[in-house]
């Protein structure tokens, strides 16, 4: 069995072990389990919706998507519903702008278009049109985003009532600081035994568990009254299979569909490149050979998710937690999926993990992602697009916007270089210009 797993997932070839992959997958799950609470909270704006059904469908679709990514693309990249989009979809329904079926019809249409782009291999043209420096620098941009998410989740970036940077009297903040100290210590601690140096395996997962336990006597970690998910799987039927694709074919929905498509495309592009770079899966030109399969799985997951009342499913940046823990293959995704399936039965047990525990781990992950910048070309004209991407991501908290403006800067710089040097070789090929148009549309919609 071990030999077959190793051969299928190329575990040894990528310098990993089965144990490392399983721990990495569990770590990824721990940092992204909040998506269950997030989805139910966002969709609660829809009148009369069955929130138990939303939770069950979220866990189910996330698990299926992760399994597909692991088996098809053999990449340690987990998928889950994209943040913000659930609020927008719920808002459309709550305001009466669209029916429940129409709202998810727009999600399905965006997924179908994305799938067609993947099937006809247009995604490879677009992915390869990104300059190598941006492909490498995306890892740093995602690192800034992840660290930002971690700071906010743990409460370490929230201003206190007295105007200070953080309120140290807040128990959650105190736990966040404790969690950060534990995560940093376990991640960077090296033990030397008989002349050999070892790192602690599963350091981030251990830090999350320890921080959660420490939070119990502090009153931050709230123990659930019941460890089982309330409500029967029949609740799934109350939110699933109500998608209305024909009803969503209205001109008024086109801007929203374009926004969903562009967000999913750039989100997948950015996260995929960042995770592949961190895991050492990029080739010498900064390309990810398995990107075609990643796009295929991602777009299919969005279509499947819409059928189950789940908004746009895409590559999740929190996958970096698993990669930092050693994940290098798709086997880690199967581990992540296993825990999401468990959530369908024991969701209260997993939902009790406080933000201070996951947030502190994400800060460490974000810091580690910045290591990818060491391979960036820092010469002026080459680094400028990367610098814009990093600054926009840090300021806006949106790495998709960072990639968009970074790419736009690259186009402008390239044209200027071509004019100054009177050499057409500096002018990017047409796929890069198509990306430029899509980026403009991203900001319009």
């Amino acid at each position: 069995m071990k030999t077959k797993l190793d051969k299928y997932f190329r575990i040894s070839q990528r310098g990993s072990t089965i144990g490392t992959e399983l721990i990495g997958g569990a770590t990824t799950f721990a940092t992204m389990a909040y998506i269950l609470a997030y989805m139910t909270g966002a969709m609660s704006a829809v009148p009369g919706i069955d929130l138990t059904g939303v939770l069950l469908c979220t866990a189910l679709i996330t698990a299926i998507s992760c399994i597909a990514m692991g088996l098809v693309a053999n990449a340690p990249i987990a998928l889950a519903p994209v943040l913000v989009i659930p609020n927008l979809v719920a808002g459309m329904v709550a305001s009466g702008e669209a029916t429940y079926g129409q709202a998810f019809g727009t999600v399905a249409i965006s997924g179908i278009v994305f799938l067609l782009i993947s099937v006809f291999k247009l995604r490879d043209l677009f992915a390869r049109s990104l300059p190598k420096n941006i492909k490498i620098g995306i890892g740093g941009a995602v690192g800034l985003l992840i660290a930002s998410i971690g700071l906010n989740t743990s409460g370490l970036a929230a201003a206190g009532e007295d105007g200070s940077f953080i309120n140290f009297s807040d128990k959650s903040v105190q736990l966040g600081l404790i969690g950060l100290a534990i995560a940093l210590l376990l991640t960077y601690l090296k033990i030397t035994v008989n002349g050999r140096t070892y790192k602690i395996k599963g350091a981030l997962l251990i830090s999350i568990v320890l921080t959660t336990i420490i939070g119990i006597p502090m009153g931050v970690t709230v123990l659930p009254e019941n460890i089982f998910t309330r409500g029967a799987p029949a609740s799934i039927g109350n939110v699933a299979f109500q998608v209305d694709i024909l009803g969503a074919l209205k001109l008024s929905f086109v801007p929203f569909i374009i926004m969903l498509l562009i967000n999913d495309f750039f989100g997948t592009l950015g996260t995929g490149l960042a995770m592949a770079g961190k895991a050492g899966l990029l080739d010498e030109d900064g390309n990810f050979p398995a990107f075609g399969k990643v796009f295929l799985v991602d777009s299919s997951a969005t279509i499947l998710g819409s059928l189950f009342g789940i908004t746009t499913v895409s590559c999740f940046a929190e996958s970096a937690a698993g990669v930092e823990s050693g994940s290098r293959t798709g086997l880690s995704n199967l581990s992540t999926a296993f825990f999401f399936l468990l959530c369908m039965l024991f969701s209260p047990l997993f939902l009790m993990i406080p933000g201070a525990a996951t947030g502190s781990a994400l800060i460490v992950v974000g810091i580690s992602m910045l290591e990818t910048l060491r391979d960036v070309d820092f010469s002026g004209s080459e680094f400028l697009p990367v610098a814009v991407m990093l600054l926009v991501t840090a300021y806006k908290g949106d790495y998709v916007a960072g990639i968009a403006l970074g790419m736009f800067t690259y186009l402008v710089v390239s044209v200027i270089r071509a004019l100054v040097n009177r050499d057409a070789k500096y002018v990017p090929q047409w796929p890069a210009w198509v990306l430029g148009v899509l980026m403009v549309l991203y900001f319009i919609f």
Side-chain angles (χ1 to χ4, degrees), residues 254-270:
V254 171
F256 189 71
I257 293 173
I258 293 176
M259 183 275 294
L260 292 176
L261 175 61
I262 294 176
N263 191 286
D264 196 6
F265 179 84
F266 283 111
T268 302
L269 184 66

Side-chain angles (χ1 to χ4, degrees), residues 264-303:
D264 196 6
F265 179 84
F266 283 111
T268 302
L269 184 66
T271 303
L273 283 172
M275 296 307 108
K278 180 65 177 174
L281 302 179
L282 298 179
D283 61 21
E284 66 246 5
D285 296 318
N287 295 315
F288 183 21
F291 231 148
K293 295 177 180 179
V294 170
F295 273 103
L296 189 63
V297 172
D298 190 292
S299 55
S300 300
T302 291
I303 298 173

Side-chain angles (χ1 to χ4, degrees), residues 93-117:
V93 180
S95 66
E97 182 181 349
T99 65
Y100 183 85
Q102 288 175 328
F104 283 100
T106 62
V107 176
I109 293 172
S110 70
I112 292 171
V113 175
F114 195 7
L115 179 62
L116 292 174
I117 291 175

Side-chain angles (χ1 to χ4, degrees), residues 19-341:
T20 298
E21 294 299 309
L22 296 180
I23 292 174
T27 304
T28 294
F29 162 78
T31 57
M32 62 186 289
Y34 72 87
I35 194 62
L36 299 174
Y38 181 88
M39 274 295 294
T40 53
M43 295 306 295
S44 64
V46 178
I49 194 167
D50 187 330
L51 294 180
T52 298
V54 172
L55 186 148
L56 292 172
C57 285
T58 300
L60 178 62
I61 293 302
T62 299
I64 292 175
S65 302
C66 288
I67 291 173
M69 184 65 79
L71 295 178
V72 176
N74 192 24
I77 305 173
L79 299 94
V82 179
L83 301 181
V84 180
I85 302 300
N87 301 85
L88 298 177
V89 171
M92 289 176 63
V93 180
S95 66
E97 182 181 349
T99 65
Y100 183 85
Q102 288 175 328
F104 283 100
T106 62
V107 176
I109 293 172
S110 70
I112 292 171
V113 175
F114 195 7
L115 179 62
L116 292 174
I117 291 175
S118 302
V119 170
F120 289 104
K121 299 184 178 180
L122 294 175
R123 81 268 157 160
D124 290 334
L125 286 174
F126 295 136
R128 293 179 182 276
S129 69
L130 285 173
K132 182 179 179 179
N133 231 27
I134 285 185
K135 290 176 184 176
I136 297 173
I138 282 175
V142 173
L144 288 174
L145 175 67
I146 292 174
S148 175
I149 292 173
L151 285 167
N152 284 289
T153 301
S154 61
L156 299 182
E161 295 180 1
D162 58 355
S164 60
F165 182 58
I166 53 176
N167 182 5
F168 290 100
S169 64
D170 189 320
K171 294 293 184 181
S172 295
V173 172
Q174 294 173 9
L175 182 61
L177 290 171
I178 293 173
L180 180 58
I182 294 174
L184 286 170
L185 177 63
L186 294 180
T187 299
Y188 294 104
L189 179 65
K190 295 182 179 180
I191 302 173
T192 302
V193 180
N194 296 326
R196 296 186 63 181
T197 302
Y198 300 89
K199 291 183 66 176
I200 298 177
K201 290 187 176 181
L204 291 176
L205 181 60
I206 295 173
S207 73
I208 291 172
V209 173
L210 288 178
T211 305
T212 299
I213 294 173
I214 293 172
I216 296 176
M218 295 178 66
V220 179
T221 302
V222 181
L223 296 175
E225 297 180 359
N226 189 349
I227 66 172
F228 297 101
T229 302
R230 294 181 179 179
S235 296
I236 293 177
N238 294 329
V239 297
F241 309 117
Q242 298 182 43
V243 62
D244 182 5
I245 296 178
L246 293 179
L249 294 174
K250 290 184 177 181
L251 191 60
S252 59
F253 291 143
V254 171
F256 189 71
I257 293 173
I258 293 176
M259 183 275 294
L260 292 176
L261 175 61
I262 294 176
N263 191 286
D264 196 6
F265 179 84
F266 283 111
T268 302
L269 184 66
T271 303
L273 283 172
M275 296 307 108
K278 180 65 177 174
L281 302 179
L282 298 179
D283 61 21
E284 66 246 5
D285 296 318
N287 295 315
F288 183 21
F291 231 148
K293 295 177 180 179
V294 170
F295 273 103
L296 189 63
V297 172
D298 190 292
S299 55
S300 300
T302 291
I303 298 173
L304 180 63
S306 68
L307 298 178
F308 282 81
I310 299 302
T311 53
T312 305
V313 176
S314 189
C315 298
F316 231 58
E318 281 78 355
S319 303
V323 175
E324 174 63 20
S325 296
S327 297
R328 295 294 180 269
T329 76
L331 180 60
S332 66
N333 267 27
L334 271 60
S335 175
T336 301
F338 170 75
F339 285 102
F340 271 107
L341 291 175

Side-chain angles (χ1 to χ4, degrees), residues 271-419:
T271 303
L273 283 172
M275 296 307 108
K278 180 65 177 174
L281 302 179
L282 298 179
D283 61 21
E284 66 246 5
D285 296 318
N287 295 315
F288 183 21
F291 231 148
K293 295 177 180 179
V294 170
F295 273 103
L296 189 63
V297 172
D298 190 292
S299 55
S300 300
T302 291
I303 298 173
L304 180 63
S306 68
L307 298 178
F308 282 81
I310 299 302
T311 53
T312 305
V313 176
S314 189
C315 298
F316 231 58
E318 281 78 355
S319 303
V323 175
E324 174 63 20
S325 296
S327 297
R328 295 294 180 269
T329 76
L331 180 60
S332 66
N333 267 27
L334 271 60
S335 175
T336 301
F338 170 75
F339 285 102
F340 271 107
L341 291 175
L342 275 184
C343 277
M344 297 184 71
L345 296 175
F346 308 105
S347 61
L349 193 60
F350 295 105
L351 290 175
M352 78 174 186
I353 300 174
T358 57
S360 55
L362 289 177
I363 294 172
V364 175
V365 171
I367 293 172
S368 72
M369 290 293 291
L370 295 177
E371 294 174 1
T372 59
L373 295 177
R374 64 171 176 251
D375 297 320
V376 167
D377 183 349
F378 284 90
S379 59
S381 59
E382 294 292 336
F383 181 63
L384 183 57
V386 178
V388 171
M389 178 174 64
L390 294 173
L391 289 172
V392 172
T393 300
Y395 179 74
K396 294 273 294 180
D398 181 357
Y399 75 98
V400 175
I403 295 172
L405 286 178
M407 186 64 180
F408 184 77
T409 303
Y410 162 73
L411 294 174
V412 173
V413 170
S414 297
V415 171
I416 294 175
R417 292 180 70 184
L419 292 174

